[in-house]
Amino acid sequence: MADELTKGLEGVLAAESELSSIDGDAGRLIYRGYDIEDLAAEASFEEVLFLLWRGHLPTRAELDDFTDAMADERAVDDAVVETIRSLAAADEAPMAAMRTAVSMLSATDTDADAAADDRDAARRKARRIVAKTPTILAAYDRVRRDEEPIDPDPTLGLAANFLYMLTGEEPDAVAAETFDQALILHADHGLNASTFTAMVVGSTMADMYSAVTAGVGALSGPLHGGANQDVMEVLFEIEESDLDPREWVEQATDEGRRIPGFGHRVYNVKDPRAKILQARSEELAANGDDTWYEITTAIESYLTDEKGLVEKGIAPNVDFYSGSVYYQLGIPIDMYTPIFAMSRTGGWTAHVLEYQADNRLIRPRGRYIGPDAREYVAIDER
């Protein structure tokens, strides 16, 4: 068994966690025992962060203190802002800019030199990273559009504040609640590639900034993040064509094109997060442009009812509806993966904190398949 090879570590148990659980056959996701539908409907993103980091839902007093502490950490140092300006001027990709800026946050952290086993310092670093990441991303997008960054508003929740810093306008209740739900849905999802990467780095007892920077790097790869941007680009293509959505998809699939947003490594049925975002997309459409909701639902209907993909274990995932939801909220499409990362910093840091509490260096083996013993030949004799 020790020598059995599982490419991609699929199905391999590498750790135990109390944070999240996925039932791919039932289409169920839970955070610390709470169903994602209940949390998305009733909780705030800050409440879910508290749950992931502390292990229980907060009381009103605990949540107020926690929310205030998060709001107090939102501002970033001028040196970080200047770096963001340089990255924007260089036309750096948003995820690469995020990776650099998150790494730089450690330069101004008062806990930067804390001992590796200082758990309280690690928790404070986690709080600062999650609080400051929205400020970094909003500032980057504004600067590249030749607009000045907007200071955080401590009276707004994390989700509403991000939309305010991004657009310059305080979002209405529907937009704020929708984005807050989206952050909750993306906060954690088991040992996915970026979470596992952050844990591997954390297992060396590296600091939280190193672990999260590594997580950002892993999420930047097209096989992990970016599918919601791909979905939106397909929706644009359909909207600009002379075909209705079903005809377009039929033609595309006949040509061998893959429709982004369908299929998942874990879910064999419709992603529960997709169901929630579909409902939010419908609500946003009722208050504005229904183009994107109509196209996405038509695509899903065709691929499920006529092509029968669900029976084959291929169903809509969270990216299929998150792209159009973000677009309706006024978020640029190349910011979709950074938005994913902004939310997932909560899960990354939670997993690092959990793993480091009972740490063991993650060190798998690789099977050598190279040549057997060779005789060395001096360079002048080759």
Side-chain angles (χ1 to χ4, degrees), residues 281 284-285 289-290 292-293 323-331 336:
S281 178
L284 290 170
D289 186 358
D290 66 357
W292 314 114
Y293 177 73
S324 59
V325 166
Y326 290 160
Y327 187 78
Q328 292 175 88
L329 293 175
I331 299 171
Y336 291 0

Side-chain angles (χ1 to χ4, degrees), residues 2 37 69 79 101 116 122 137 143 159 163 170 180 205 208 220 247 256 259 276 279 289 305 315 344 350 360 377:
E37 283 90 350
L137 293 177
V143 168
L163 294 177
E170 186 173 331
D180 191 79
M205 296 307 291
M208 195 63 72
S220 68
E247 292 173 337
I259 306 303
I276 297 168
D289 186 358
D305 297 340
R344 190 56 61 84
R360 181 172 176 79
V377 178

Side-chain angles (χ1 to χ4, degrees), residues 169-187:
E169 297 181 4
E170 186 173 331
D172 62 29
V174 172
E177 183 178 329
T178 298
F179 190 59
D180 191 79
Q181 280 193 333
L183 295 180
I184 291 170
L185 298 177
H186 287 89

Side-chain angles (χ1 to χ4, degrees), residues 12-65:
V12 174
L13 289 175
E16 292 181 324
S17 176
E18 297 180 358
L19 294 172
S20 63
S21 175
I22 307 162
D23 186 331
D25 294 325
R28 186 170 183 238
L29 170 63
I30 63 171
Y31 294 168
R32 290 194 180 272
Y34 294 96
D35 200 283
I36 194 65
E37 283 90 350
D38 294 334
L39 292 174
E42 303 294 339
S44 66
F45 182 57
E46 285 87 343
E47 197 172 346
V48 170
L49 286 176
F50 187 101
L51 172 67
L52 291 174
W53 289 346
R54 306 282 183 86
H56 64 275
L57 289 173
T59 64
R60 170 56 61 186
E62 287 175 327
L63 182 59
D64 288 345
D65 289 345

Side-chain angles (χ1 to χ4, degrees), residues 150-218:
I150 295 175
D151 291 335
D153 184 342
T155 68
L156 297 175
L158 187 146
N161 178 65
F162 171 75
L163 294 177
Y164 163 68
M165 291 190 297
L166 186 74
T167 66
E169 297 181 4
E170 186 173 331
D172 62 29
V174 172
E177 183 178 329
T178 298
F179 190 59
D180 191 79
Q181 280 193 333
L183 295 180
I184 291 170
L185 298 177
H186 287 89
D188 195 44
H189 208 241
L191 294 193
N192 52 82
S194 55
T195 298
F196 187 63
T197 298
M199 283 177 54
V200 170
V201 174
S203 79
T204 71
M205 296 307 291
D207 78 338
M208 195 63 72
Y209 290 101
S210 298
V212 172
T213 300
V216 174

